[in-house]
Structures are given as structure tokens and as C-alpha cells.
Amino acid sequence: MSSSLFDNVIPAFRRHSSLFGSLEIELQDFAPIYGMATDRYMNCLRHKKLKHHPSDLIASADEYTSFLVFLAAAAYSENQLDLAESAYLINRRMNGFDCFYTRSMPDIFHLEHPLGAVLGNAVYGNYFVCYQAVTIGGDRQYRYPTLHEGVVMYAHSLAIGSCELGTNSCVGANAMIFNQTLEDNMILRCQSGVFEKVPNKFNNIGLFFCGH
């Protein structure tokens, strides 16, 4: 992994925080939090199968988005809300990705061009994969989804309410699951406006991540 991966993060975050937040934030003033975020990000990155591993984090929109998720969460855990808010707002306003800093994202996940995705309250298992315009959130009774290990949500898919997505399951493009269960190793797909469940013949984790 290139030692230059994080070279441009500190000056870029300074610029971005002044554009999208109320403060110009110097990450070097939050060295322990920045270290927590880089460690979590690097652990996540090591597990990924990527066509091109980033050599400059700022030049890789998807990977910068993932890093900001870890940074916002680390800042929130240390009650540094200005930093958490800045990282969240940069992701929302520059990267088009909404994942509030109170969300408990797993240690290992992958965002595949996640423009327009909204990841709300849920239990997220490791090896989660999110494509563009995915929506995960609660119903009007404040019930939220549970995603087990190795869930993939494809473009424009939705998981709403007290639904449970089993291990190695997929919610296909334009499909929606609402207060229901998607069993292990199943795909919920949308064909001509009709939802149906079919067996998943693939190992989701092995498709996107190393060592499986």
C-alpha cells in the first residue's frame, strides 16, 4: 500500500470543512481521532477486492466516502461533534452520501459508487455492500432493519422497517423489503414490477472481499 495514500487528506479536509461546515478544521489537531479513523479504514481496505486500490484517498471518491464514515464515527465516539458534523456534511454535500455519524457501521463494508444512498438506523453486519441510491431506514413506528453478514444491496433497493436480511442475501436493483424477512442465501429481485425470492448461487463475501 502506497505511503502517499493519506498525503492529501489533511489539506483537503481543511478546505472541505470550510465549504460544507461552519469551521475550518485541522485534522492534525485531532490526532488520536484521525488515527482511529485511518486504522479502521485501512483494516477495511485490506479486506476488499478492488479493481484499483487507491494510491491517493482524495482521488478515489468511493474510498474517501468510506474514510469519512469512519472519521465521523470516531469523532462522535470521542464527543467531538464539530468534527463529526463536518465529516458527515462533506459526505452528504460533496459525495452525495448520507450516513449520519451516530450510525454503527461495521468494520468491513464496501461502497460501490454510492451516490444518492441513505443509510439510516439499522444493525449492519460485516461485509455489507451498498450500491447507488440504496435506502435503509425505519418505518413510522421507529422499527429498523437488521442486516446479517454478507448482505448486498444493489442500485435503488430499499430495506425499511423491522425487516431482517439474512446472511449472504441480496436485495436486487429496484427491489424493496418492508417489515419482512429475507432468508439466508436468498435474493429478492424485481422483475417487471413483481418481487420474487430466488436462491443466491454466489458467495457475496467472496465476490467483493479477500480471503473467502
Side-chain angles (χ1 to χ4, degrees):
M1 196 67 61
S2 171
S3 60
S4 65
L5 181 61
F6 295 98
D7 282 357
N8 294 318
V9 170
I10 289 176
F13 194 89
R14 182 190 309 120
R15 295 192 304 272
H16 298 156
S17 62
S18 66
L19 288 171
F20 301 113
S22 59
L23 300 171
E24 185 176 276
I25 291 180
E26 300 284 354
L27 282 179
Q28 61 264 39
D29 294 338
F30 301 90
I33 292 172
Y34 183 50
M36 290 166 58
T38 56
D39 287 347
R40 284 195 69 191
Y41 171 75
M42 289 303 298
N43 175 64
C44 182
L45 182 63
R46 279 192 290 267
H47 286 81
K48 294 185 184 184
K49 287 181 179 177
L50 295 177
K51 294 178 182 177
H52 305 287
H53 270 260
S55 57
D56 178 351
L57 196 58
I58 300 302
S60 175
D62 294 352
E63 292 305 306
Y64 186 42
T65 301
S66 294
F67 171 74
L68 289 173
V69 171
F70 288 125
L71 180 62
Y76 175 69
S77 72
E78 297 298 311
N79 202 35
Q80 294 292 338
L81 299 187
D82 286 336
L83 177 54
E85 185 80 10
S86 291
Y88 163 72
L89 288 175
I90 292 167
N91 251 350
R92 178 162 178 165
R93 295 178 181 175
M94 189 174 80
N95 298 327
F97 176 78
D98 192 326
C99 180
F100 199 53
Y101 49 79
T102 59
R103 309 299 181 238
S104 296
M105 293 299 289
D107 288 328
I108 304 167
F109 65 89
H110 177 58
L111 305 177
E112 185 76 17
H113 40 74
L115 294 169
V118 179
L119 304 188
N121 268 337
V123 175
Y124 294 93
N126 272 324
Y127 305 105
F128 168 59
V129 178
C130 170
Y131 279 76
Q132 68 267 29
V134 163
T135 299
I136 298 173
D139 61 15
R140 291 187 177 182
Q141 295 178 295
Y142 303 104
R143 297 176 296 187
Y144 301 100
T146 295
L147 285 67
H148 292 276
E149 192 171 273
V151 170
V152 179
M153 295 196 65
Y154 287 99
H156 296 270
S157 61
L158 296 89
I160 305 295
S162 61
C163 51
E164 185 165 355
L165 280 61
T167 299
N168 198 53
S169 65
C170 302
V171 184
N174 300 309
M176 179 181 73
I177 181 166
F178 179 76
N179 289 336
Q180 294 177 311
T181 296
L182 181 60
E183 295 79 7
D184 294 351
N185 305 304
M186 295 295 290
I187 298 172
L188 177 66
R189 67 184 185 185
C190 181
Q191 297 276 42
S192 301
V194 177
F195 296 164
E196 62 176 350
K197 294 180 182 179
V198 297
N200 183 10
K201 300 178 181 179
F202 297 98
N203 175 358
N204 292 346
I205 298 176
L207 290 175
F208 295 94
F209 301 94
C210 305
H212 293 270

